[in-house]
Every structure is written in C-alpha cells, then in structure tokens.
Amino acid sequence: MKLRLLATSVAAMMLALAAGAASADDLRPVKKIAFANPLPAYPVFQEADKCFNEATKKAGIEGVTSGPTGLQMDEQFVLDRISQYIATGADGLILVPFSSAMYEPLMKEAKAAGMYVVTMNTGDTTSVQDVVLGTDYANQGKVVAENISKRGGPQNVIILGNQPSGVHRVFVDGFVKALPALGNVTLVAEAYDAGDPTQTTDVVSRTLTAHPDVNVVLSWEGNAVAGITTAIKEKGLTGKVVGVVNDVTPEVVAGLKDGTLYGTSKQNFCGMASGAVEKIIALSKGEAVPKSVDTGITFITAETLDQELAK
C-alpha cells in the first residue's frame, strides 16, 4: 500500500511538472521584474511599457524597463540591458528576442541565475524561455494571406522582413502554407531591411523594380510602414500596389484612409506585457502555466477601421 501511494504521489508530481508547474525547491519569490523593451518609442511598445508598469504596480512589485531611443533597432543596446538586469539581480525577465542566436546565451544565463524568463511576440524562435506570449506568427501569416486573397484577382506579393530567419521565417512559412487553398495569392519575392526603417524605402523600391508584376507589399515589421508607403508613392504606383502592414499607428491610419494600405494586423501588446507579468508571478507560486499563449490579432481594412478605432 505504501509503495502504491508513493508511486501515485510521484506520478502526480511528474504530471504537474509536465504541465508547467515548478517544484517547491525551484520556486523563487518575485520582487523585481525587468522588461528589455526593443523599441520604446514605437507606439505599440509604448503601450507595452504602460501596461507592464501598471501590472507590476498592481502586483506590488518593482518593475524596470528600458530600451533604445528612436525607431531603429539597436539589439546590442538591448543585450547590454539584459546583461545589466542579470547582474543586478532581477527575479523575472521579459524580452523580445528578434534574432534568436544573439539572445539565447543571455537567456540561458538568466535562467541559470534563477530568473523566470518570458518572451514576447517572437513565437518559437527561441526555446529557453519559460513562456512566450504574443502573436502566433505562423497563424498571422495564414490569416493575412486569406485576407489578401479577398481583394480578388491575382495577388502577387513581396514580403519584407528584417532577415531571412527568426520571426520572419515563421511568418512567411505560415503565409506560404495557406496559399494552395487560396488559388490567387503568390509569393513573388522576399526582401530584407535589417530592421532599419531608413533602409526600407530603398529596399522596397528596388524589389518593386525587379518584380513589376507585384501588387502587394507585405511586412510584419511595424516600423516599415513609412518606407513602404513612401516607396509606393515615389514609384507612382498608388492604386496599383498596396501595402499590408502591422499595428495601428497614425501612419497606418493615414495609409488606410488614402488607399496606400489595404490592411493591417492589430496586435495585443498590452495583453502581452501585462500577461508576461502575470505569468512570471504564477510561475513563482508554482502554478501550471502554458508554454505558449497566443494573444491574437485582428485584421483591419479601411472598411473596419472606424469600428476598431472606436474600441
């Protein structure tokens, strides 16, 4: 009987660990959570900062956040901040590892130091984290492809990203997987701007010149909007080529209203940031937490824009 009870107890403990709960020996109280924000000046990451600060304040714990100024990616700055957070002893770390190879060594270091590590909006491009919250980029690629198909007629698409791997590859693979069932959407080419919005116009312009049959420029990069719309206008292709982008910013609203943009994916950055805080606290209490949380997207066109803005 004792052996049977012991076996039952061990099995229950293993089941709890498999579901994402930690053993009592692994638990660490959370007094400080650090958020390595990749682009605090970009509207949706401003929103993420705001919701992060509100969530930590509500929980009665210290929240610290920092990131580079401006709208250009500076991953070395972010990596340096992560190292600083590890050195100063934060209990939880939230980050956005766009380039997995650059971030995973530090994520492992944070885990080794006993920190809970949560990633935002980068899907399964990394595996070290305890939890990832954000847009399911493979599903987003599929949803965007389906919405582009609704325009009717042949849709010849360029997809712009920061680099061939990471989040970009997850998004593109989801997009391509949806195409056979649609019939009228073709991926013509991929282009890369290194996550630098100062390069976007030239990259898009050159790609449009190389592929004159293209009528859709698609990007999951939120900071690429201005470069895409500028390239379309400068090449005199307004009305012939449309952009499909991410997020709802003043630039996106203007583009949807003047017809330069066909649609945009609205992501839930507030839910990502506040949810990341909640998941770190749950982990510290030994609660079972899912490895991945899809915070969803809403695809918005000019027809649905006012309704979404009213929300």
Side-chain angles (χ1 to χ4, degrees), residues 33 35 52 55 92-95 116-120 131-133 269-283 295:
I33 299 177
F35 177 21
F52 167 80
L93 173 65
I94 302 170
L95 69 159
Y116 302 104
V117 177
V118 175
T119 57
M120 276 178 44
V131 188
V132 56
L133 298 96
F269 276 86
C270 184
M272 294 177 208
S274 60
V277 172
E278 291 166 3
K279 294 297 181 286
I280 287 173
I281 293 171
L283 287 167
T295 52

Side-chain angles (χ1 to χ4, degrees), residues 11 31 34 36 46 71 78 114 156 159 174 207 223 227 246 266 283 296:
K31 298 179 181 178
Q46 286 180 357
L71 292 175
V78 177
N156 299 315
I159 301 184
T207 311
N223 62 358
N246 248 4
K266 180 183 178 183
L283 287 167

